Amino acid sequence: MTLRVGVIGTGMIGQDHIRRLTQVLSGVRVVGVTDIDRARATAAAPEGAEVFDSPQALIRSDSVQAVVICSWGPAHEEQLLECIAARKPVFCEKPLVTSEAAALRVMEAEEAHGHRLVQVGFMRRFDADYRRLKAVIDGGSLGAPLLYHSVHRNASVPEGLYTSDMPLNDTLVHDADISRWLLDDEITGVEVRVPRRSTRGKDLRDPVVVLLHTASGALVDVEISVNIGYGYDIRGEVSCEGGVASLPNRPATVVSDRHGIRQAIPADWRERFIDAYDQEFREWIVAAGQGTATGPSTWDGYAATLVADAALRAVESGRLEPVRMRAKPALYGEPIAVAA
Ligand SMILES: NC(=O)c1ccc[n+]([C@@H]2O[C@H](COP(=O)([O-])OP(=O)(O)OC[C@H]3O[C@@H](n4cnc5c(N)ncnc54)[C@H](O)[C@@H]3O)[C@@H](O)[C@H]2O)c1
């Protein structure tokens, strides 16, 4: 059976997801697109797809079975609530939403529906290297994880569009989510330190160092640099009681010439996580075809939103800011048990 999908938001990642849904993956067809910029939607529409006037029209259309949201974060809440009201499975790019109150509204709507409909675009969970890293930690041979070092470096970000708050409320969500998932732990507090600014970052607060405190007592340090220049560089290393497990450097052709011996670095997230995005959609297509969702949930999107909010408070206060989560609804599985 072929899953008939509608895509909301046909910008950079919307176009990339349309490409994978039409050219890479099977069992799926993009039957509709929409964007507030209609010309952009028209240009991105695959052959035979309808260009809808609004997200609401797309979501309510009988021709659309499941929805992919790739609009800007502040638009996600309304579109998610509309999908849940229409009882349609929905893949939503990160961030789930941009405030705690909005996350709670989406969670309550999904709970009232009775089973999961939402998958959030935390693609790192589908990356083979992160999955192998998690398997080692979960296997227990290294003992309990104590520290996780996460490095998130972008070559550059669009000048003018990307603000000083965005490393904390847009970029950090990936590191927050992967930390919770790898360590099987909830984040309970956030500190932020701001070193000397990079002159490459123009007026941006860049880089930043974030310290995430977890319920088990493990600590996560995150470097976010968004104008590092040389490429898109994602690293991770977990220090456990009995050893260390690290993400490998990605295999790349080794070039030797008069400058030395070197390997290329991915230019951006599309290149580094191309296989992870494909895999997250493979798994989404299977679940959405059954009218449900698996993978990163509304609960995970809510957790990341709380961490982003706490990080923004922490950069102002200079203190450890608490993250207080509501009780976990049964819909999202068991609460994480923390050893005494
Ligand atoms: N998972 C990842 O690694 C990753 C990478 C990049 C972007 N993202 C996320 O994807 C989303 C889109 O990012 P992007 O880089 O493609 O941005 P973009 O600006 O290139 O594209 C967003 C598109 O959405 C449209 N849009 C915005 N609000 C809308 C609305 N209310 N209704 C219909 N269309 C609307 C815009 O006109 C634009 O064409 C963001 O939430 C971003 O954080 C995730």
Side-chain angles (χ1 to χ4, degrees):
M1 213 187 70
T2 299
L3 185 74
R4 300 184 313 274
V5 169
V7 178
I8 301 173
T10 54
M12 198 156 47
I13 204 160
Q15 289 172 30
D16 200 41
H17 288 339
I18 290 171
R19 176 194 59 77
R20 65 174 38 84
L21 292 171
T22 52
Q23 296 174 26
V24 181
L25 302 173
S26 55
V28 64
R29 189 155 58 90
V30 176
V31 296
V33 296
T34 189
D35 195 294
I36 42 175
D37 181 340
R38 193 177 169 91
R40 189 177 293 163
T42 305
E47 210 183 319
E50 183 175 351
V51 179
F52 287 90
D53 287 336
S54 68
Q56 197 183 60
L58 176 144
I59 294 164
R60 291 184 181 179
S61 167
D62 287 339
S63 66
V64 171
Q65 272 179 287
V67 178
V68 172
I69 298 178
C70 300
S71 55
W72 298 316
H76 292 178
E77 178 190 1
E78 190 183 344
Q79 296 164 4
L80 283 163
L81 291 174
E82 191 74 49
C83 289
I84 294 169
R87 310 172 84 78
K88 293 190 180 175
V90 50
F91 174 93
C92 181
E93 262 308 337
K94 58 69 67 177
L96 174 74
V97 288
T98 49
S99 73
E100 176 177 2
L104 290 172
R105 284 191 287 270
V106 173
M107 202 182 295
E108 278 156 20
E110 199 177 31
E111 256 191 296
H113 172 70
H115 67 81
R116 281 193 55 191
L117 286 173
V118 179
Q119 177 176 324
V120 185
F122 290 132
M123 75 295 183
R124 291 188 186 186
R125 293 186 184 209
F126 300 87
D127 176 75
D129 293 332
Y130 274 110
R131 285 186 163 185
R132 281 188 284 264
L133 179 59
K134 180 164 175 60
V136 169
I137 297 161
D138 288 352
S141 60
L142 299 181
L146 307 173
L147 294 167
Y148 176 48
H149 310 286
S150 191
V151 172
H152 191 146
R153 298 183 182 132
N154 284 285
S156 63
V157 285
E159 214 175 308
L161 293 174
Y162 197 93
T163 66
S164 273
D165 282 348
M166 288 177 81
L168 300 176
N169 70 6
D170 190 74
T171 303
L172 176 65
V173 292
H174 280 302
D175 301 277
D177 182 70
I178 206 68
S179 305
R180 294 177 58 249
W181 180 74
L182 275 176
L183 304 181
D184 203 13
D185 213 345
E186 289 296 5
I187 294 164
T188 55
V190 181
E191 290 178 75
V192 177
R193 293 289 177 272
V194 182
R196 198 173 89 177
R197 285 184 189 205
S198 161
T199 53
R200 299 180 57 88
K202 314 285 184 315
D203 296 329
L204 283 182
R205 189 195 297 125
D206 172 45
V208 290
V209 176
V210 182
L211 196 60
L212 305 174
H213 295 245
T214 75
S216 74
L219 285 177
V220 177
D221 61 87
V222 186
E223 170 195 328
I224 300 179
S225 296
V226 295
N227 275 292
I228 203 80
Y230 66 82
Y232 181 71
D233 192 4
I234 300 297
R235 302 180 187 204
E237 184 168 276
V238 187
S239 298
C240 303
E241 288 167 330
V244 171
S246 310
L247 277 181
N249 275 334
R250 306 223 87 207
T253 304
V254 178
V255 174
S256 305
D257 64 9
R258 66 193 173 85
H259 301 296
I261 301 173
R262 61 190 193 283
Q263 291 179 288
I265 296 165
D268 64 20
W269 37 271
R270 279 173 296 205
E271 187 182 343
R272 167 63 180 84
F273 287 112
I274 189 166
D275 297 332
Y277 290 118
D278 289 350
Q279 187 59 24
E280 86 178 332
F281 273 100
R282 255 182 225 112
E283 296 184 26
W284 179 71
I285 290 163
V286 171
Q290 296 163 357
T292 187
T294 54
S297 67
T298 301
W299 178 257
D300 300 312
Y302 161 71
T305 303
L306 292 189
V307 171
D309 287 352
L312 289 176
R313 291 197 308 274
V315 79
E316 291 302 322
S317 72
R319 291 197 298 267
L320 169 63
E321 292 290 339
V323 173
R324 294 195 181 91
M325 301 183 80
R326 61 159 279 185
K328 192 173 185 178
L331 193 64
Y332 305 114
E334 293 294 311
I336 291 168
V338 179

